[in-house]
Amino acid sequence: MKAARTPPSADRPPQRPEHRPEPGLRERKKARTRTAIRAATYRLIREQGYDATTVEQIAALAEVSPSTVLRYFPAKEDIVLTDEHGPSLAAELRARPADEPWFESLRYVLRKAAGSGTAEDPEVTRLRTRLMVEVPAVRSRMTQSMAATGRLLGQVVAERTGRAADGFEVRVLTMSLVGGLLEASLYWAEHHHEDDLGTLVDRALDVVGHGLAPGDPQAAGPSPVPS
């Protein structure tokens, strides 16, 4: 069984996730505060660089206290990294059609996530990946965050394949995915964001699926699905 580069079931509507209630006033206020802190951080980093930007400066620009900044983001590198996407990725993967080959579902969801990130705020996405290359602490924190995302994805992969979520094969596969996605982001930034990130994610999935193909790396065929 093989995973197509463009899933044949992509034109089928995904299963609709369960309705979620609208967030209350408290949750909306928290979301606004997080957004204000992040916006202030991005602005300061653009103006003076990552190392010169302090929590106190971020708090002043966001009009909150330094303790509020640290309550929302325990470390400065947490501010520039998005950490909310793991649960949504897992939910989207669960919402794919039940008869769709699971590796196709995985490709669809991860490629969609890459496209959404670059489309929603391309400048911020480029800044974040550039910091991953330039700042070891940011890269280390991103690795930890993506590992957590990998564990969430592993639970869904286990459900779809009938394996244990903590089984050796599932852990190896999901951490291979995490490593591939991280390298796709780093490669993208190192090459001045000239490539299409979605295409790099696709190529990373091909490597995870069947390893290195001989000849032109961009001429590799579709990936066989890991069993």
Side-chain angles (χ1 to χ4, degrees):
M1 190 180 298
K2 297 184 177 181
R5 185 173 296 276
T6 301
S9 56
D11 57 345
R12 289 179 292 175
Q15 299 170 355
R16 299 181 66 85
E18 294 182 3
H19 176 71
R20 295 181 178 85
E22 291 295 324
L25 178 60
R26 181 183 178 87
E27 287 71 24
R28 293 198 301 271
K29 183 177 179 181
K30 286 182 177 181
R32 287 195 297 269
T33 301
R34 291 175 69 87
T35 299
I37 292 171
R38 277 196 162 129
T41 304
Y42 297 143
R43 175 178 167 183
L44 288 167
I45 290 174
R46 290 191 192 100
E47 292 175 352
Q48 62 188 29
Y50 180 85
D51 290 335
T53 298
T54 67
V55 170
E56 289 74 20
Q57 292 172 333
I58 294 168
L61 188 57
E63 299 183 340
V64 297
S65 67
S67 62
T68 296
V69 174
L70 294 175
R71 186 167 69 250
Y72 280 81
F73 303 98
K76 188 172 70 173
E77 54 267 24
D78 290 325
I79 306 175
V80 300
L81 299 175
T82 55
D83 56 359
E84 300 91 355
H85 294 322
S88 63
L89 283 176
E92 283 215 35
L93 190 54
R94 284 191 173 97
R96 294 302 298 166
D99 61 343
E100 182 177 64
W102 69 267
F103 203 75
E104 290 181 10
S105 299
L106 200 60
R107 184 186 294 274
Y108 177 88
V109 169
L110 294 177
R111 206 182 195 290
K112 179 182 175 183
S116 299
T118 53
E120 288 175 3
D121 199 334
E123 186 179 353
V124 167
T125 301
R126 290 185 177 93
L127 173 64
R128 183 182 302 120
T129 53
R130 180 170 59 80
L131 290 174
M132 286 168 55
V133 172
E134 297 175 354
V135 183
V138 173
R139 185 164 60 252
S140 175
R141 182 66 187 92
M142 174 57 90
T143 301
Q144 296 174 19
S145 178
M146 292 186 71
T149 297
R151 287 190 290 274
L152 289 174
L153 292 177
Q155 293 173 8
V156 188
V157 169
E159 294 167 7
R160 292 287 297 270
T161 61
R163 295 174 179 267
D166 62 348
F168 177 73
E169 286 79 8
V170 171
R171 290 173 60 176
V172 169
L173 174 67
T174 53
M175 294 313 295
S176 297
L177 286 170
V178 165
L181 295 174
L182 180 61
E183 286 303 317
S185 296
L186 291 172
Y187 182 94
W188 188 52
E190 289 167 356
H191 290 77
H192 312 291
H193 305 102
E194 294 175 353
D195 297 276
D196 175 69
L197 181 58
T199 300
L200 292 177
V201 169
D202 233 6
R203 289 172 61 187
L205 290 171
D206 283 341
V207 174
V208 171
H210 63 65
L212 295 177
D216 182 356
Q218 298 196 51
S223 318
V225 178
S227 59

